[in-house]
Amino acid sequence: MKFSKRLLLVVSLVIMGHTLLAQRTFTNPIKDSGPDPWVLQKDGWYYYMNTTGSNLTLWKTRNVADLASAESKVIYTPPKGQPYSRDLWAPEIHSFPDEQGKDRWYIYVSADSINNLSHRVWVLENPSRDPMQGEWTMKGKLGDEDNHWEIDMSVINYKGKLYAAWSGWEGTTNGRQDIYIARLKNPWTIDGKRVKISQPDQPWERHGDVPQAWQKNGEVPKVYVNEGPEFLPHNDRLFIVYSANACWLDYCLGLLTHDGKGDLLDPKSWTKSAGPVFAQAPENGVWAPGHGGFFRSADGKQDWMIYHANASADDGCGNKRAPYIQPFTWNPDGSPNFGKPAPKTPMPVPAEN
């Protein structure tokens, strides 16, 4: 009788444990602040970064929903006086194999030395197995041959070749940000010229009124924005999800689609969505969602997106932007279906191994 009771107790505890695990939840946002969030899931670990402005901070956790309590470390602070010493924006950590097949870590970050006019993208490298350890060294500026203004670079190994996409200016002055793509010789060198594949030319991308503080002599200048491009491969197709409008307005996500057959460097091989594919949801308390990124759950079965958003319509472009995550699905035609920003209610965490 005692044995039966003990067995029943053990079975009950096991069942309760599995139930609690299955029901483990989180509520957005996953951290109080975190503009321009980025997540890489590798070998069961999630590596997370966001804009801090002054340094590169890396978070490491077994589940990105636990980010608020995750281990974090300042892994790089730029020396003063360098052309990459100020305004560090939108850092991304990636892992690519070297010529010997050994994985190396790379971080791509936008930075300047004086003001926004000098923003360029810079690359750091770390050969350590764990990016929280070892030394991060500056490899240099990753720019096109004409040294154009650029921010928000992301990189992908697509069919055995490296490509970079970023937001840049066509000329030397601001006013319109376009999306460019280029081949890479290696993780820190562009191979050939950049190619423009998108500019804010649709009505839904051109809500460009600037804040009143920027206006001069009663004039209301326009700033049209395509930025924050992120690669999203699926089956035989490649997508680029980018942010449109501006972070102080109704920021939203647009979609560029490549059918996987033509040259990625041919602008004609990319098709733009007819409207935003992810927009703010005031009814759910989510405004100006942007800078979307994508990752798989640790068990490799779930597709998730990460983005920053504001908790009110007037929060603007500062540190009130916080990181949100939510799962997404795929439409019958193979394109991503992001739905809309989820309400701030408990949802299951990304599946674990």
Side-chain angles (χ1 to χ4, degrees):
M1 184 67 176
K2 290 182 179 180
F3 176 78
S4 298
K5 287 183 177 178
R6 288 177 182 175
L7 180 60
L8 180 61
L9 178 61
V10 170
V11 171
S12 298
L13 289 174
V14 170
I15 292 174
M16 287 176 61
H18 281 290
T19 301
L20 289 173
L21 180 62
Q23 293 179 345
R24 198 163 80 84
T25 62
F26 74 98
T27 301
N28 276 319
I30 55 173
K31 195 160 71 79
D32 290 339
S33 175
D36 307 323
W38 168 259
V39 168
L40 172 68
Q41 191 274 112
K42 180 175 172 60
D43 300 329
W45 288 99
Y46 291 88
Y47 300 96
Y48 169 91
M49 304 188 79
N50 62 234
T51 291
T52 69
S54 60
N55 61 46
L56 298 178
T57 301
L58 182 63
W59 284 258
K60 180 180 180 180
T61 179
R62 282 293 187 184
N63 199 303
V64 70
D66 302 325
L67 188 61
S69 59
E71 174 189 7
S72 66
K73 181 180 179 180
V74 176
I75 56 173
Y76 184 81
T77 300
K80 293 182 179 180
Q82 295 297 319
Y84 47 83
S85 62
R86 298 178 68 257
D87 299 330
L88 279 68
W89 296 350
E92 292 191 4
I93 185 169
H94 293 261
S95 177
F96 300 117
D98 61 18
E99 294 180 353
Q100 287 73 44
K102 180 183 177 182
D103 284 347
R104 289 176 177 262
W105 298 95
Y106 296 91
I107 289 177
Y108 300 84
V109 60
S110 312
D112 64 49
S113 58
I114 303 173
N115 54 41
N116 183 44
L117 294 175
S118 61
H119 253 113
R120 301 294 186 274
V121 172
W122 301 82
V123 188
L124 296 95
E125 182 186 57
N126 187 342
S128 298
R129 184 175 181 179
D130 184 349
M132 300 287 277
Q133 307 300 323
E135 182 179 0
W136 285 93
T137 58
M138 176 61 70
K139 295 293 290 186
K141 179 171 59 177
L142 181 53
D144 69 287
E145 60 186 20
D146 294 321
N147 193 32
H148 287 97
W149 181 92
E150 59 184 12
I151 61 168
D152 295 352
M153 183 174 288
S154 194
V155 178
I156 189 174
N157 186 331
Y158 183 69
K159 297 184 177 180
K161 298 177 181 179
L162 289 177
Y163 294 87
W166 66 91
S167 179
W169 293 341
E170 190 169 76
T172 58
T173 58
N174 61 345
R176 193 189 77 207
Q177 292 176 224
D178 304 330
I179 303 297
Y180 293 88
I181 191 171
R183 274 284 307 277
L184 299 182
K185 292 181 182 178
N186 52 49
W188 60 90
T189 310
I190 284 181
D191 184 10
K193 291 184 175 294
R194 66 176 188 168
V195 176
K196 182 171 68 174
I197 56 174
S198 179
Q199 69 182 55
D201 53 12
Q202 301 299 309
W204 58 272
E205 300 176 294
R206 295 171 65 85
H207 303 169
D209 289 351
V210 303
Q212 187 173 4
W214 298 7
Q215 299 174 19
K216 297 180 179 180
N217 301 322
E219 297 179 356
V220 183
K222 300 287 185 178
V223 176
Y224 301 132
V225 175
N226 279 183
E227 62 185 7
E230 300 292 355
F231 293 104
L232 178 59
H234 182 62
N235 295 334
D236 295 329
R237 304 167 79 185
L238 180 64
F239 303 93
I240 290 180
V241 182
Y242 64 95
S243 302
N245 292 325
C247 53
W248 62 88
L249 296 170
D250 54 341
Y251 218 34
C252 62
L253 298 181
L255 184 72
L256 301 175
T257 301
H258 189 275
D259 63 9
K261 299 177 182 179
D263 184 357
L264 296 187
L265 302 184
D266 180 2
K268 295 179 181 178
S269 69
W270 293 92
T271 302
K272 180 181 291 190
S273 60
V277 293
F278 194 68
Q280 62 189 20
E283 69 276 18
N284 291 335
V286 182
W287 279 264
H291 210 93
F294 311 97
F295 61 95
R296 304 298 300 275
S297 57
D299 69 352
K301 297 179 180 180
Q302 299 174 342
D303 291 297
W304 286 74
M305 64 187 299
I306 186 168
Y307 57 94
H308 69 219
N310 284 325
S312 78
D314 302 319
D315 284 346
C317 304
N319 289 330
K320 290 184 178 181
R321 295 174 295 175
Y324 294 63
I325 62 172
Q326 63 187 68
F328 69 94
T329 60
W330 300 91
N331 294 311
D333 67 357
S335 62
N337 185 338
F338 301 127
K340 66 179 181 179
K344 298 175 184 179
T345 55
M347 68 176 74
V349 302
E352 300 173 290
N353 280 329

